[in-house]
Amino acid sequence: MNLCTDQLAMMLAAPGQLVSVSHLASEVQSSSMVEEARAYPMNRGQVEQVFLMRPDLVLAGTYTQVSTVDLLRRLGVEVVQVPPATSLIEAVEQVRIVGRALGQEAKADAMADAFAAEIEAARFSGTPRTAAFYYPNGYTTGSGTLANEVLELTGFTNIGATSGVTGGGILPLERLVMAGPELIVTSERYPGASRSEDILVHPALRAVQARAGVELTSDADWVCGTPHLLRAIGKMQAARAALEAGE
């Protein structure tokens, strides 16, 4: 019933063990496993729908609607709630948590060990460059976030964090312009139109982007603390290399 546990379950479950994933698992903007998700019936997290599937176990997030979780438990369904990962260490541990819940400890331990090793192998030890996340409405992510740890791991200082943003928050465009980051990480525009995205085509932001020389688009690989995060780390490493090559 949760995007991130959906993906971990698809990676760890034995054949026939997983009977449904949430509808979010099939959304391209959010999920790294859209093709794999199509093999499973979708659910929208409704108690009636989930209960009628007769599951022995439901994997949910800590932000899953409280009434839904409580009712499922009162109906005798085991529910394991997994909090969102806010660090790389937590991301590795979540592999083990879901593996234990599914009775797939050995598979999960092997996956977690490999995940941790690849994270450590990606660690950059040189002088940090500056980077900023910038999304619709001027939203950014700062300290205490998984995205910030990815930046630090790959040799970047997060403008959002140095500007005092903890978790997620708004970074005024003026502050971004004054900081002049060497890399901007932004998002693909959603289909349709929204005023919140207007700031992404503001002339002042365009000027910062032109000076930065390197722009990276975040995608589904950034959303959850799964081993797919390694692809996001790889993109950051490539962005760092492009900055070095451009000097």
Side-chain angles (χ1 to χ4, degrees):
M1 293 169 58
N2 171 270
L3 172 66
C4 298
T5 55
D6 286 340
Q7 293 177 88
L8 287 171
M10 285 188 281
M11 298 173 78
L12 291 166
Q17 187 175 17
L18 182 60
V19 298
S20 177
V21 295
S22 79
H23 69 283
L24 294 174
S26 63
E27 292 190 359
V28 175
Q29 290 94 344
S30 304
S31 175
S32 296
M33 301 181 69
V34 171
E35 292 301 321
E36 293 88 342
R38 288 176 179 151
Y40 301 95
M42 299 289 161
N43 73 75
R44 291 188 171 271
Q46 298 168 322
V47 173
E48 299 88 346
Q49 182 186 21
V50 172
F51 180 71
L52 288 173
M53 293 177 180
R54 302 294 180 188
D56 300 304
L57 170 72
V58 169
L59 293 171
T62 50
Y63 290 100
T64 300
Q65 192 169 0
V66 174
S67 59
T68 299
V69 172
D70 287 348
L71 183 51
L72 283 170
R73 285 174 172 160
R74 288 205 304 267
L75 290 168
V77 180
E78 180 184 0
V79 181
V80 172
Q81 291 179 278
V82 182
T86 59
S87 70
L88 293 168
I89 289 175
E90 288 179 4
V92 172
E93 181 58 23
Q94 283 192 354
V95 177
R96 302 187 199 278
I97 290 171
V98 174
R100 286 196 296 271
L102 294 172
Q104 302 292 336
E105 292 90 343
K107 186 176 181 180
D109 284 343
M111 186 180 294
D113 289 345
F115 187 14
E118 290 195 59
I119 288 171
E120 194 55 38
R123 192 170 301 281
F124 187 85
S125 59
T127 303
R129 310 295 285 262
T130 57
F133 294 103
Y134 213 65
Y135 302 117
N137 275 337
Y139 183 83
T140 193
T141 50
S143 59
T145 64
L146 188 59
N148 182 63
E149 281 216 18
V150 171
L151 284 189
E152 292 180 346
L153 177 79
T154 51
F156 291 93
T157 298
N158 184 1
I159 296 298
T162 58
S163 296
V165 177
T166 300
I170 301 300
L171 180 64
L173 181 55
E174 296 87 347
R175 183 166 291 181
L176 179 70
V177 171
M178 292 174 65
E182 297 167 274
L183 171 70
I184 293 180
V185 182
T186 187
S187 60
E188 293 281 1
R189 301 195 73 173
Y190 274 67
S194 85
R195 282 184 163 183
S196 68
E197 294 179 313
D198 287 350
I199 197 168
L200 300 182
V201 294
H202 194 287
L205 179 60
R206 292 294 196 199
V208 174
Q209 291 168 321
R211 288 196 299 274
V214 176
E215 181 177 344
L216 184 68
T217 301
S218 63
D219 56 21
D221 292 337
W222 290 80
V223 176
C224 296
T226 75
H228 293 295
L229 193 64
L230 293 169
R231 294 196 296 229
I233 290 171
K235 290 178 183 177
M236 290 303 302
Q237 291 177 304
R240 173 83 201 205
L243 282 173
E244 303 288 353
E247 291 184 341

